[in-house]
Amino acid sequence: MEITDIRIRKIETEGKMKAVVSVTFSNEFVVHDIKVIESQSGLFIAMPSRKTPDGEFRDIAHPINAEAREKLQTAILESYKNS
């Protein structure tokens, strides 16, 4: 699957979360609510998650391996910086 669309919704309020992103793959599948977060070491993405009954957060959708995560993060952060 290839990334065919990235939609950035920038967050204008103060805080670590800078944007909420939707990514479309092959014009067939979309993942909403990916967050762009600013940390001391720079920007990174956080996949959509849900709080479990024991208080932990678990990703709802996520890349299977580090290579896929890096590809997705690079595409999202490039789009964020250019928007």
Side-chain angles (χ1 to χ4, degrees), residues 1 5-7 9 20-25 28-35 45-49 59-63 72 76:
M1 289 184 131
D5 189 34
I6 298 175
R7 298 190 184 227
R9 294 182 307 278
V20 178
V21 180
S22 295
V23 178
T24 304
F25 297 90
E28 297 176 331
F29 186 80
V30 67
V31 177
H32 297 291
D33 297 331
I34 300 171
K35 295 165 192 70
I45 63 168
M47 298 304 293
S49 61
D59 287 349
I60 296 169
H62 58 87
L72 181 61
I76 289 171

Side-chain angles (χ1 to χ4, degrees), residues 58-76:
R58 301 216 26 151
D59 287 349
I60 296 169
H62 58 87
I64 296 297
N65 56 46
E67 181 180 298
R69 176 174 279 280
E70 184 60 33
K71 181 179 176 182
L72 181 61
Q73 180 165 282
T74 298
I76 289 171

Side-chain angles (χ1 to χ4, degrees), residues 9-15 17-19:
R9 294 182 307 278
K10 289 192 174 184
I11 307 295
E12 300 298 331
T13 60
E14 291 294 318
M17 186 165 60
K18 300 301 177 187

